[in-house]
Amino acid sequence: MPNSVKQTVDKNETLDPKISKIIESVLKIDEPTVYNDYEIVAKVLFQALNFFPPLYTQSIFGPIRTWIPPHKKDSEFNIIDFWRPIRTANYLVDSLVPAFPHGPGPWARTLLPPVVQNLFWRPSHYFQQADPLASVTSFINEQWIYVNGIATNEDVAMMNAELLSHLFKRPLTVVHNQTDSTILDLVQCVTGKVFKTNPNLDDEQSMTEPAVKATIAVLAALKDPAKERVVLLCHSQGTIITANVLRALQKSISQIKVVHQAPEMQLTLQLNHLERLAFDLFWMEAISTFTNDELDSYLVSMMKKLEVYTFANCADKMNYVCHSTNSKGELIGLPYIENFANQFDLVARLGVLSPLREDGSDIIEIDGAVYEKQGGEAWGHLLNQHYLFGMAGYLQDSQNTNNPYAPQKGEISAALPRLYSYYGGARPYAYYE
């Protein structure tokens, strides 16, 4: 149990037996860090690269034998297809030509032709992926959101979304984290991991643009009374974006509780753009009449909807927004978090599989169960090719007992990931029951 949670429990001799009480993590006092930001990046990268055999290209693209066609229909390798030269050329341009991660300014829109604007300005955006029956209204009481990783243009994001929709029989809202070239994506990963961890939209160095869009999508779904569950799937760089979203939610909840304790501060409290957004979505006038327990119940009713499933989680810190107790009086973290990783995925070794996470260092702190694929097939970073295909092969064959993703050694987790329970349109029980 994390020290901060243990200290919180020690201060509360009895816990509310209902899942209605927020037990907030103890706030950490700002202390001088042992490493500066650049030293942290260097230390994390050194540990990530320190594995044998050092086949770094294979750690991203999988074993060389799998690069050779033919590939499965939804494989990312199909993006290079000489029978579809325009799509192939578009991907090569998107992944190789550096671009700004936002839309063009008014002068650029006025003076430059659209082809130039599209080449050098690539803002993130949303798009909808229908379920396999071409419906976007099935499972109307659920909201599934997917945030993609690096080097992913819209065509690759559609490949990912189509396979996720096929596996779980649900429509998805895709927060398309548009690639700004592979090199700039890697730079954004660094800024998202270390330099942009304070979710303050007034500070240009606090959140990347896709994190803002993901925050808006998640908050809107949580506030929607028709949504009983909000399932957030993220891969690679998308896990860094999601970590920033969770930090933003944590900060928003703390601000709401502060204003509830001192209503006069609502007008004088200095709120940044993201906090104001959270107030617009979470706040309602009735809150001023709530007791503390009623406010906790309201906020928990939002947070218990959220479930986060990560693939190749490369964030430095991904923590629960808050803690509460379930109907059995057991301490649980909110939202539910589940992580999937391949043993030799270099990107996963920057975060959830980092040796720094195992040695008790506070550099890497990731909550939630970890399910890891190990062995000779545990190479590769691509979502479909190296993660979802293995899951699909196991889930589609009822006679297959070789689960590719087992609980990480030392983990106290269910034998099978909760995400499996959604396969084929199934709906598991609420995780907090």
Side-chain angles (χ1 to χ4, degrees):
M1 180 181 296
N3 290 336
S4 61
V5 177
K6 183 177 186 303
Q7 292 168 2
T8 304
V9 174
D10 289 343
K11 292 180 179 179
N12 293 271
E13 296 180 359
T14 60
L15 296 177
D16 189 333
K18 299 179 181 179
I19 183 166
S20 61
K21 186 71 175 176
I22 287 182
I23 304 172
E24 296 181 277
S25 299
V26 175
L27 296 177
K28 295 182 180 179
I29 299 174
D30 290 332
E31 297 177 351
T33 55
V34 178
Y35 306 98
N36 63 36
D37 288 339
Y38 296 101
E39 289 174 329
I40 290 175
V41 171
K43 188 176 180 67
V44 170
L45 185 60
F46 174 79
Q47 292 293 337
L49 294 171
N50 188 23
F51 66 92
F52 186 85
L55 304 176
Y56 302 133
T57 302
Q58 181 170 306
S59 73
I60 301 298
F61 297 105
I64 295 176
R65 68 178 184 278
T66 65
W67 304 358
I68 303 171
H71 303 294
K72 292 183 179 180
K73 172 180 174 292
D74 296 309
S75 172
E76 290 92 343
F77 287 131
N78 289 324
I79 196 64
I80 306 299
D81 184 349
F82 295 106
W83 293 110
R84 304 183 69 175
I86 295 178
R87 190 180 76 164
T88 298
N90 284 339
Y91 179 75
L92 292 175
V93 169
D94 288 342
S95 60
L96 296 176
V97 177
F100 295 104
H102 53 75
W107 281 109
R109 289 197 305 270
T110 303
L111 300 176
L112 299 177
V115 64
V116 175
Q117 295 179 38
N118 295 334
L119 181 63
F120 294 110
W121 286 271
R122 299 180 201 147
S124 299
H125 65 280
Y126 307 104
F127 68 84
Q128 297 295 319
Q129 170 63 47
D131 69 14
L133 298 178
S135 172
V136 294
T137 58
S138 57
F139 292 90
I140 195 66
N141 60 348
E142 297 181 2
Q143 179 71 58
W144 285 56
I145 300 170
Y146 167 60
V147 187
N148 63 270
I150 67 170
T152 300
N153 71 349
E154 187 165 351
D155 290 319
V156 176
M158 289 176 65
M159 289 180 179
N160 297 152
E162 287 174 3
L163 184 54
L164 287 168
S165 173
H166 176 76
L167 289 177
F168 302 110
K169 300 295 187 287
R170 282 148 166 105
L172 295 96
T173 295
V174 178
V175 180
H176 181 215
N177 169 32
Q178 174 67 286
T179 181
D180 303 312
S181 79
T182 302
I183 295 299
L184 287 187
D185 285 353
L186 291 172
V187 172
Q188 289 176 0
C189 278
V190 173
T191 61
K193 275 176 71 69
V194 178
F195 301 104
K196 294 191 177 183
T197 57
N198 177 28
N200 178 350
L201 297 188
D202 295 333
D203 178 0
E204 294 182 357
Q205 295 301 311
S206 64
M207 288 188 79
T208 56
E209 186 205 36
V212 175
K213 293 189 177 295
T215 300
I216 292 171
V218 170
L219 286 171
L222 291 177
K223 182 65 184 294
D224 187 346
K227 303 301 181 185
E228 298 175 2
R229 296 187 186 181
V230 179
V231 177
L232 179 56
L233 306 159
C234 52
H235 171 239
S236 182
Q237 186 185 17
T239 65
I240 299 174
I241 294 168
T242 298
N244 282 333
V245 171
L246 295 183
R247 265 189 293 271
L249 291 175
Q250 184 180 51
K251 191 171 183 180
S252 301
I253 286 179
S254 67
Q255 291 294 322
I256 289 175
K257 290 176 70 68
V258 166
V259 172
H260 179 258
Q261 294 292 334
E264 68 278 4
M265 294 185 65
Q266 183 169 359
L267 297 177
T268 60
L269 196 64
Q270 296 298 314
L271 298 175
N272 62 47
H273 179 71
L274 184 58
E275 293 165 348
R276 179 56 60 189
L277 173 64
F279 264 82
D280 291 342
L281 292 172
F282 276 127
W283 186 266
M284 58 182 183
E285 289 303 317
I287 285 181
S288 60
T289 66
F290 285 176
T291 65
N292 289 338
D293 287 346
E294 288 171 338
L295 177 60
D296 280 358
S297 181
Y298 169 69
L299 295 174
V300 167
S301 71
M302 301 294 104
M303 292 315 307
K304 72 181 183 181
K305 294 181 182 183
L306 185 58
E307 301 178 23
V308 178
Y309 298 94
T310 80
F311 297 87
N313 191 339
C314 54
D316 283 345
K317 300 182 188 298
M318 180 181 287
N319 303 119
Y320 296 124
V321 172
C322 59
H323 295 82
S324 188
T325 53
N326 62 14
S327 57
K328 301 176 184 178
E330 300 168 333
L331 187 70
I332 62 170
L334 299 176
Y336 180 83
I337 301 176
E338 197 168 88
N339 304 280
F340 296 90
N342 292 337
Q343 181 182 7
F344 300 109
D345 181 344
L346 176 60
V347 178
R349 288 180 57 83
L350 293 170
V352 70
L353 294 187
S354 173
L356 296 174
R357 181 172 179 262
E358 300 174 0
D359 67 9
S361 168
D362 62 357
I363 294 177
I364 305 291
E365 296 177 353
I366 296 176
D367 287 333
V370 179
Y371 292 90
E372 183 181 0
K373 181 196 289 184
Q374 296 186 332
E377 298 300 316
W379 293 86
H381 175 67
L382 305 181
L383 179 63
N384 291 6
Q385 179 74 27
H386 303 125
Y387 282 90
L388 297 183
F389 285 169
M391 285 186 182
Y394 171 73
L395 294 171
Q396 290 169 355
D397 184 358
S398 60
Q399 304 301 315
N400 188 348
T401 59
N402 185 23
N403 171 26
Y405 290 95
Q408 195 175 51
K409 186 177 181 180
E411 286 272 336
I412 303 177
S413 309
L416 293 178
R418 175 178 170 81
L419 183 61
Y420 287 7
S421 303
Y422 284 104
Y423 174 72
R427 181 179 167 89
Y429 290 110
Y431 66 88
Y432 47 82
E433 293 180 350

